[in-house]
Amino acid sequence: MHDLERGWSLSFSGCGFLGFYHIGATRCLSERAPHLLRDARMFFGASAGALHCVTFLAGIPLDRTLQILTDLVRNARSRNIGVLHPSFNLGRYLRESLHRHLPANIHQLISGKICISLTRVSDWENVLVSDFQSKEEVVDALLCSSFIPFFCGFIPPSFRGMRYVDGGASDNMPSFDARTTITVSPFYGEHDISPKVKSMNFLSVDVTNLNLCLCSENLYLFSRALFPPDVKVLGEICLRGYLDAVRFLEENGICDRPHPCLSLSPEEPEALVCPWETVSLEASPGVAAWPMKPEGDELLDHLRLNLLPWDESILETLSPKLTIALSEAVKHRGGYMSKIRNFLPVKIMSYMMLPCTLPVESAVAVVQRLVMWLPDLPDDIQWLQSVTSQVCSRVVTHLLPTSRLAESLAHHGALKSVS
């Protein structure tokens, strides 16, 4: 919770492809309580949370951010086995996107304003990085913070000569002072801006500083964090982030708007169920109202089917700009070939041919990765040799006392038998 006298910070958790939630929450704060973002002492982030903080501080427009994320999701879902396909390279996509869209002076824009959570491979300790000397260092830190071992690869990336992996492995909700930090997470738990469980009879656990409710909804969300759903579902999660931020502002007396309560239905996990309270909606200063009810909009039509019971007054609570940007981002722009591939007979045929096509595609993907690996090959081989020698020395250190003790016991036993 923020303290006006002591100042406040914001922390965004790592959440994989559910980073859409952070966009919705930040959009709500920027529209309804801009001082929370403008006057924040520090922004903290791990993995997807760090990526979101950097893109926000870089001033990348909302529509471009959403388009980058939806392109990533479509790229991950375009293959028969999704992100597990050998040709899908998350690290490569992130590196190219960050170099393309981040400004050249991004290190100057974010230094001292953001702390990126990293997990050091050598001792598995958490490291918070705040100062950067170049754009390349920012990209390296973000790639390290987003690297999930085995899921993204086997050799961790490096930052300033040290190897790091996903910051969520050691601290998924970083902060200096939890009492003055506004925490944002798309998972059900006890955080400031997060989905709330209505029942009080539930258990929760803290995993790397992230509070999680033990419920089936979180299991579903975790699976979607690694294996992305359709972009329409992610659009709903983005809107839920906006609505949960509205609730946070209202509960703390910052925003006089009704607080909607969203929860995932246990029977239909992909549907967002929202029992809206019957309250009057009054427009807040500075928040635009819908000029008209959008009809035929693909995203809103999907929301009308999945937000039950549906109330058209939801359009007065949501951000028009965010909803329009989401609607544009989720529109299908694949062309005729993409539509043909989505036909059921074509999909069935592609799955039937998978045993024949997958080995060929895997071989091509391995060759491409090897070619891309050549510039980093000497450093990676040296690091692997260092890690192997350290592991061997530790094993020998642990085994030597045991072997010596065994030899000593055997020697004493032999002496007793002789006597």
Side-chain angles (χ1 to χ4, degrees), residues 342-417:
N342 288 329
F343 287 153
L344 182 60
V346 177
K347 283 188 174 181
I348 295 175
M349 184 64 67
S350 64
Y351 278 105
M352 292 177 62
M353 296 179 61
L354 193 60
C356 301
T357 59
L358 185 59
V360 177
E361 294 175 346
S362 300
V364 174
V366 168
V367 172
Q368 291 177 344
R369 286 176 182 254
L370 286 175
V371 172
M372 294 179 57
W373 188 33
L374 288 177
D376 301 325
L377 183 60
D379 293 337
D380 291 344
I381 294 297
Q382 185 178 0
W383 177 79
L384 286 174
Q385 292 175 346
S386 174
V387 170
T388 304
S389 63
Q390 290 177 6
V391 171
C392 292
S393 63
R394 290 178 182 177
V395 171
V396 171
T397 302
H398 286 287
L399 290 180
L400 273 180
T402 305
S403 61
R404 290 174 180 172
L405 178 61
E407 292 176 359
S408 177
L409 291 176
H411 179 68
H412 286 295
L415 290 178
K416 288 182 180 180
S417 62

Side-chain angles (χ1 to χ4, degrees), residues 85-346:
H85 198 281
S87 62
F88 178 71
N89 192 333
L90 179 60
R92 178 184 177 184
Y93 182 92
L94 289 177
R95 181 177 290 276
E96 292 178 352
S97 298
L98 291 172
H99 276 295
R100 184 184 308 115
H101 297 287
L102 291 182
N105 64 335
I106 182 62
H107 58 288
Q108 299 173 348
L109 295 176
I110 69 173
S111 290
K113 298 179 182 178
I114 182 175
C115 281
I116 299 178
S117 177
L118 308 175
T119 302
R120 192 164 48 210
V121 175
S122 59
D123 54 6
W124 216 249
E125 291 294 326
N126 183 258
V127 176
L128 293 178
V129 183
S130 180
D131 295 321
F132 305 93
Q133 303 301 320
S134 65
K135 177 180 178 179
E136 189 65 31
E137 283 194 354
V138 176
V139 174
D140 289 343
L142 292 174
L143 291 177
C144 289
S145 184
S146 305
F147 184 87
I148 304 176
F150 304 109
F151 186 83
C152 296
F154 296 96
I155 300 180
S158 61
F159 173 73
R160 293 176 181 170
M162 295 289 294
R163 301 281 174 168
Y164 298 92
V165 295
D166 196 320
S170 55
D171 192 349
N172 206 21
M173 189 66 77
S175 66
F176 290 149
D177 184 0
R179 294 172 297 178
T180 59
T181 302
I182 301 172
T183 53
V184 184
S185 170
F187 302 107
Y188 286 78
E190 294 300 318
H191 292 289
D192 295 318
I193 301 177
S194 66
K196 303 298 181 183
V197 178
K198 296 180 181 179
S199 174
M200 298 301 294
N201 299 321
F202 67 88
L203 299 176
S204 62
V205 295
D206 288 330
V207 181
T208 63
N209 206 29
L210 179 67
N211 184 269
L212 295 171
C213 171
L214 298 179
C215 57
S216 59
E217 291 84 356
N218 271 342
L219 292 177
Y220 167 76
L221 289 174
F222 266 108
S223 67
R224 290 314 190 183
L226 296 176
F227 304 96
D230 186 81
V231 290
K232 299 186 190 69
V233 178
L234 292 174
E236 295 178 27
I237 291 175
C238 181
L239 295 178
R240 181 177 63 186
Y242 187 96
L243 297 172
D244 287 340
V246 171
R247 177 179 54 205
F248 164 76
L249 295 176
E250 188 229 7
E251 289 176 349
N252 289 274
I254 306 174
C255 178
D256 298 328
R257 296 295 296 266
H259 53 91
C261 300
L262 291 178
S263 61
L264 290 174
S265 170
E267 295 78 16
E268 298 181 7
E270 291 192 10
L272 294 177
V273 181
C274 178
W276 294 88
E277 300 177 1
T278 305
V279 290
S280 60
L281 300 177
E282 298 177 358
S284 294
V287 179
W290 284 95
M292 59 178 295
K293 239 187 314 186
E295 298 293 342
D297 184 275
E298 188 176 7
L299 177 63
L300 292 181
D301 287 343
H302 194 265
L303 284 172
R304 288 186 176 94
L305 294 175
N306 292 286
L307 289 175
L308 301 174
W310 174 259
D311 187 347
E312 290 296 331
S313 62
I314 186 176
L315 299 180
E316 300 181 32
T317 305
L318 294 174
S319 164
K321 186 173 182 179
L322 176 61
T323 309
I324 293 172
L326 276 172
S327 301
E328 289 296 321
V330 302
K331 282 183 179 178
H332 191 72
R333 298 181 176 88
Y336 290 106
M337 291 302 299
S338 180
K339 292 180 180 179
I340 292 175
R341 286 196 297 266
N342 288 329
F343 287 153
L344 182 60
V346 177

